[in-house]
Amino acid sequence: LLAEKVKQLMEENPDADVAVNFVFKSKHGEPLVEKNQTMAKYQFMAQEYKFDDLSATVEGELPRLTETEAYIKMEAAGMAVTIGKWSGWIDYLDVNGKEMLIDRESITPEFWRAPTDNDYGARLQQHFAAWKNPGYRVKEICHETDGNNRVVKVALTMDAVKGDLEMRYTLRPDGTLLVEQDFDADKTEKGPEMFRFGMQMQMPERFNHIEYHGRGPVENYADRKSSEFIGTYEADVKDEYYEYIRPQESGNHTDIRTFSVVDKTTGEGLTFYGDAPMECSALNYLVEDLDDGMHKDKKWGHHSGDLVPRKLTQVHVQKRQIGLACVNSWGAWPLKPYRLPYGDYNFKFAIKAYKR
């Protein structure tokens, strides 16, 4: 009967995840074990999600383009994207005239995370220090048409990590923005590993709710995720940070198919998705709020109870973030499959206006 139901779901939903979840609970209460307490669980994926082809073309008119000495602006279907010529970043992102970004806070690449207790134990914050401020410098910025898409390309150097970064922003006629981040490592250098490879942005405080299809509802990481099943979840941003004694990285979700950050009152927001599983999070804190510095031991400790939520939502969209290790807390690095060694990386994802 179960096999027939699974087969039916797969036939009716050929592009969707179809999973069978097994949960084993205690039948009777025992010392230290409550009745119906979950003892073990496992998720079997009978069919996996079919990700969008981000290279596919979309019909429609060529997006409008405006260029000045300071910026290049693309507009289509209510989406307006402004790229600064001096920084190479998306400085403004508007949907139907509404600002999606905090004023003067751009969408930027992100390679650093607030060190965890295990990171401090292994001194990863010192080993990876170059990635905290990699030293961006714009070499060239240009725009072109690709079929009926507008494309802005930015070439940058990253002096602190000895590599080149190319950002490619593509606006489709339907208002979908494709963001591509391509890092070309210097093959003559043995550069430092990184904490993550992705992008970050700061959205106004009113975007305080998330809806996502991926692993949840509890935070999870590359090497600590099987306990959280792939499914559809929603939560308030204020509840996404776990109050560890020491402030640190928190709130990550792996195997993301889609991730939306929304204003529940107006129904406005942004949806992020890729052509492969991503990792995403949204917090009321900036990374620097949770970063306890280059040295673990201090005369006066920093505690999560000291934190004051900011009037914003910082969104992290990434190809990958390294694992938590957890072998021990005094020197162990994450296992090799869960690390990001120095090398070439490419990440591509889409941003579109949220629809209920």
Side-chain angles (χ1 to χ4, degrees):
L1 187 62
L2 176 60
E4 292 177 359
K5 181 62 175 178
V6 170
K7 183 179 180 181
Q8 178 186 349
L9 288 171
M10 292 169 63
E11 291 174 349
E12 294 175 351
N13 305 277
D15 298 335
D17 283 316
V18 176
V20 180
N21 298 338
F22 298 92
V23 180
F24 301 91
K25 296 186 177 183
S26 59
K27 187 174 183 179
H28 305 290
E30 301 286 348
L32 303 180
V33 178
E34 297 179 0
K35 184 179 180 179
N36 292 324
Q37 180 175 329
T38 298
M39 308 301 293
K41 60 181 183 177
Y42 180 77
Q43 183 176 58
F44 172 75
M45 299 303 296
Q47 174 178 281
E48 296 203 357
Y49 184 84
K50 183 178 179 181
F51 289 88
D52 285 18
D53 179 4
L54 298 185
S55 64
T57 58
V58 175
E59 293 184 359
E61 294 184 2
L62 186 69
R64 178 184 174 189
L65 185 137
T66 305
E67 182 175 11
T68 71
E69 291 187 2
Y71 64 81
I72 299 173
K73 184 176 183 179
M74 302 182 291
E75 300 173 84
M79 178 75 79
V81 186
T82 305
I83 298 101
K85 285 189 172 181
W86 312 122
S87 66
W89 312 139
I90 296 174
D91 291 334
Y92 299 95
L93 184 64
D94 303 327
V95 175
N96 297 323
K98 304 289 184 65
E99 296 180 350
M100 296 290 112
L101 301 178
I102 291 288
D103 187 41
R104 300 184 185 278
E105 295 296 340
S106 307
I107 300 178
T108 60
E110 185 173 44
F111 309 99
W112 183 260
R113 77 178 180 194
T116 66
D117 288 314
N118 290 349
D119 293 340
Y120 279 117
R123 296 191 297 117
L124 298 188
Q125 80 283 2
Q126 296 175 13
H127 291 295
F128 301 174
W131 288 104
K132 191 170 186 178
N133 295 295
Y136 304 107
R137 182 162 48 86
V138 175
K139 294 192 298 183
E140 182 182 8
I141 182 169
C142 64
H143 62 83
E144 62 186 26
T145 58
D146 179 11
N148 57 354
N149 299 330
R150 290 284 191 184
V151 183
V152 175
K153 295 193 294 186
V154 186
L156 307 101
T157 58
M158 300 169 67
D159 296 332
V161 294
K162 309 298 183 184
D164 294 322
L165 182 70
E166 180 176 279
M167 298 300 305
R168 183 182 176 99
Y169 309 109
T170 302
L171 187 62
R172 291 173 165 177
D174 64 355
T176 301
L177 173 65
L178 306 181
V179 179
E180 185 170 5
Q181 177 185 12
D182 191 84
F183 177 69
D184 183 18
D186 187 335
K187 307 305 184 293
T188 66
E189 295 284 336
K190 183 175 173 56
E193 298 189 22
M194 65 182 78
F195 277 124
R196 59 176 147 199
F197 188 80
M199 305 289 289
Q200 73 78 38
M201 66 201 72
Q202 297 175 33
M203 298 180 68
E205 182 185 20
R206 69 186 182 94
F207 299 102
N208 57 9
H209 191 75
I210 59 173
E211 300 173 4
Y212 61 96
H213 183 189
R215 290 192 183 272
V218 177
E219 65 178 15
N220 50 90
Y221 293 80
D223 57 356
R224 291 292 183 276
K225 69 178 185 178
S226 60
S227 64
E228 303 308 307
F229 290 172
I230 292 174
T232 301
Y233 304 94
E234 61 178 296
D236 290 333
V237 172
K238 65 180 179 59
D239 297 324
E240 284 296 285
Y241 177 71
Y242 183 84
E243 291 191 348
Y244 296 98
I245 294 176
R246 176 197 299 275
Q248 56 194 279
E249 160 63 31
S250 182
N252 192 61
H253 296 282
T254 63
D255 291 327
I256 290 294
R257 282 77 166 114
T258 63
F259 191 86
S260 299
V261 185
V262 304
D263 178 340
K264 289 181 68 176
T265 302
T266 64
E268 298 166 334
L270 296 174
T271 295
F272 307 89
Y273 61 97
D275 55 7
M278 308 188 301
E279 299 187 23
C280 298
S281 64
L283 299 174
N284 288 137
Y285 304 105
L286 299 178
V287 170
E288 49 261 44
D289 298 332
L290 309 178
D291 189 335
D292 213 16
M294 283 294 160
H295 302 284
K296 178 180 180 180
D297 299 320
K298 298 177 175 62
K299 185 175 182 179
W300 298 103
H302 191 195
H303 300 89
S304 285
D306 302 328
L307 295 172
V308 177
R310 291 182 182 261
K311 294 184 181 299
L312 55 79
T313 296
Q314 185 173 36
V315 182
H316 307 274
V317 182
Q318 58 218 337
K319 179 185 182 74
R320 187 78 179 275
Q321 182 177 165
I322 70 167
L324 300 178
C326 301
V327 176
N328 61 51
S329 294
W330 51 87
W333 288 42
L335 299 179
K336 284 188 176 181
Y338 310 114
R339 286 157 56 177
L340 290 169
Y342 184 76
D344 296 345
Y345 289 95
N346 178 272
F347 177 44
K348 188 175 185 179
F349 67 97
I351 306 174
K352 66 179 181 180
Y354 169 79
K355 292 183 179 180
R356 294 180 193 241

